[in-house]
Amino acid sequence: MADRLTQVQDAVNQMADHFCNSVGILQQCAPPGQFAGFEKTGSKSPAVTQEEYSVLFAKLIARTAKDIDVLIDSLPSEESSTELQSASLRKLELENQEAGRRLEEVVKRGEALLEQIQQALSDIALSQLQSQGMKSGE
């Protein structure tokens, strides 16, 4: 996953692509100019109209502009000073340490339960062996 600035740059590049492509389509679909004394016949109508392309590129450009706005809004503000960021990081570090301690406690309890289960299974197996030995001794 790219950082926020890279995402903004990618979105701006995508916006530039949409603008360039829209200009290219406008040039491609534009009706030819007429010159006096030079008439070209056999002009065919394009399968997709210029209005459809206009709507398509308008939607693409608007969506990309919204994406850029969202990405810019997610960037840290100027009010977010180094001290605030450091304090936030310290808080997150303390929360992480507390979660680590809780995890260690849960692991210890799990290991203790595992030992109890293994001991119980060992006792069961021993009892079964002893009962089979008594049955075969009869």
Side-chain angles (χ1 to χ4, degrees), residues 6-128:
T6 303
Q7 289 176 335
V8 171
Q9 183 62 52
D10 290 343
V12 169
N13 289 342
Q14 186 177 24
M15 177 76 83
D17 287 343
H18 292 324
F19 279 124
C20 289
N21 290 337
S22 65
V23 169
I25 292 294
L26 288 174
Q27 289 176 342
Q28 179 181 353
C29 294
Q34 301 296 325
F35 294 102
F38 181 74
E39 295 295 323
K40 184 176 180 183
T41 59
S43 174
K44 64 177 182 174
S45 165
V48 180
T49 65
Q50 187 172 355
E51 290 80 23
E52 291 171 343
Y53 281 125
S54 298
V55 170
L56 172 68
F57 280 106
K59 286 180 182 178
L60 288 172
I61 290 169
R63 184 177 341 130
T64 306
K66 287 179 185 177
D67 291 345
I68 291 171
D69 285 341
V70 168
L71 288 169
I72 289 173
D73 288 341
S74 71
L75 292 172
S77 64
E78 290 181 7
E79 294 99 25
S80 177
S81 66
T82 306
E83 294 86 23
L84 288 174
Q85 290 176 2
S86 295
S88 176
L89 286 175
R90 281 192 296 274
K91 179 183 173 191
L92 288 172
E93 188 175 312
L94 289 174
E95 290 174 4
N96 189 22
Q97 288 174 354
E98 178 61 31
R101 280 192 290 272
R102 287 194 311 263
L103 178 62
E104 287 176 0
E105 290 173 10
V106 169
V107 168
K108 285 180 185 178
R109 282 187 276 153
E111 288 174 346
L113 284 173
L114 178 62
E115 282 183 35
Q116 289 177 355
I117 291 170
Q118 287 175 338
Q119 184 60 45
L121 288 173
S122 176
D123 292 343
I124 291 170
L126 185 60
S127 296
Q128 285 180 341

